[in-house]
Amino acid sequence: MKKEIINFRKALEKDLDQQRFEHSLGVEYTSACLAIVYGADITDARVAGLLHDCAKCIPHSDQIRIMEKAGLPPLQEEYDDQSLLHAKCGAIIARDKYGIEDENILNAIRFHTVGRPNMTLLEKIVYIADFLEPNRKDLEIMDGVRHAAFIDLDQTLLWIMEGVISYVKKKGMVPAPSGLAAYEYYKNQIKVDEALRNWRKD
Ligand SMILES: [Fe+2]
Ligand SMILES: [Fe+2]
């Protein structure tokens, strides 16, 4: 599959706008770095990271149609916030257009927006890489999260989920129930490492 990455990139560049394509490359190499640190398959991480947003530039109405046709119609929360559609739709495109058969890669694409309870290592890696890849806007927690990601993956996952949910609430929106379920699951599992959270870049 390593050789196919070049072809995936060429095809993806046509499917995405420039900014989204650059972001996808950022998620590819950040996923690879995290895979090296945590012992995941590097090629799988690159492929999942590269393709995670492959459906992002398809109009929402077409994404809904693709999902219905594949027998995976959107959940209510995906109708309510249609920016979430591209995750599950992306897994379908990755399978049907890019020929990805590996369920672990497809699930890393499928769950990259809101996560889920009991995520696999690859799912966590892509979720986290999507948030902190170097092209991302520097949010307040970004330095800390980037530092933590290479020290403790689960602490980082919880921190990002918490940050995303509070951001959504601050904007007056309701967090997706799946995202809340994932957050509750990890909140009950992980005791926050305050020292890691309080790390500051000098
Ligand atoms: Fe995405
Ligand atoms: Fe993304």
Side-chain angles (χ1 to χ4, degrees):
M1 192 137 66
K2 217 184 264 181
K3 279 189 202 147
E4 290 171 312
I5 290 178
I6 305 283
N7 294 330
F8 292 158
R9 284 205 194 132
K10 282 183 192 155
L12 193 67
E13 196 166 13
K14 295 196 183 93
D15 286 350
L16 300 179
D17 60 40
Q18 184 65 28
Q19 199 185 354
R20 187 60 50 178
F21 181 63
E22 294 296 333
H23 161 67
S24 300
L25 296 179
V27 178
E28 179 195 343
Y29 58 69
T30 305
S31 296
C33 294
L34 291 170
I36 290 168
V37 172
Y38 294 105
D41 184 284
I42 299 172
T43 305
D44 287 357
R46 289 181 65 190
V47 171
L50 181 65
L51 297 180
H52 80 288
D53 270 347
C54 65
K56 186 74 182 179
C57 294
I58 299 170
H60 291 159
S61 56
D62 292 342
Q63 290 187 42
I64 292 170
R65 194 178 44 75
I66 290 165
M67 290 163 75
E68 284 171 345
K69 206 172 149 203
L72 286 167
L75 303 171
Q76 188 55 49
E77 67 191 52
E78 292 165 329
Y79 281 115
D80 294 343
D81 178 358
Q82 299 201 351
S83 70
L84 301 177
L85 289 167
H86 75 282
K88 205 195 286 176
C89 187
I92 296 165
I93 303 274
R95 183 191 65 191
D96 296 351
K97 179 172 178 179
Y98 289 85
I100 306 298
E101 291 171 354
D102 185 312
E103 278 300 317
N104 198 25
I105 295 176
L106 294 175
N107 282 337
I109 297 170
R110 179 171 176 167
F111 295 104
H112 83 265
T113 49
V114 291
R116 63 166 166 171
N118 201 19
M119 292 164 81
T120 65
L121 175 59
L122 188 64
E123 288 168 23
K124 291 176 188 173
I125 284 175
V126 174
Y127 180 93
I128 290 169
D130 184 29
F131 185 85
L132 55 73
E133 64 90 9
N135 300 299
R136 283 290 202 195
K137 194 166 75 184
D138 287 333
L139 305 170
E140 204 186 317
I141 60 170
M142 197 58 104
D143 284 342
V145 166
R146 282 182 174 143
H147 169 257
F150 292 90
I151 294 172
D152 190 320
L153 203 66
D154 283 344
Q155 287 285 338
T156 311
L157 184 72
L158 180 66
W159 196 356
I160 293 173
M161 286 180 171
E162 198 180 293
V164 169
I165 287 168
S166 73
Y167 173 78
V168 168
K169 284 183 179 166
K170 241 182 248 169
K171 276 176 64 182
M173 289 157 62
V174 180
S178 301
L180 278 177
Y183 170 61
E184 290 297 330
Y185 174 89
Y186 284 105
K187 199 175 77 172
N188 290 330
Q189 287 229 328
I190 301 166
K191 190 180 174 305
V192 171
D193 178 344
E194 295 295 345
L196 193 61
R197 287 257 178 133
N198 291 330
W199 175 86
R200 288 281 175 274
K201 194 166 83 171
D202 289 324

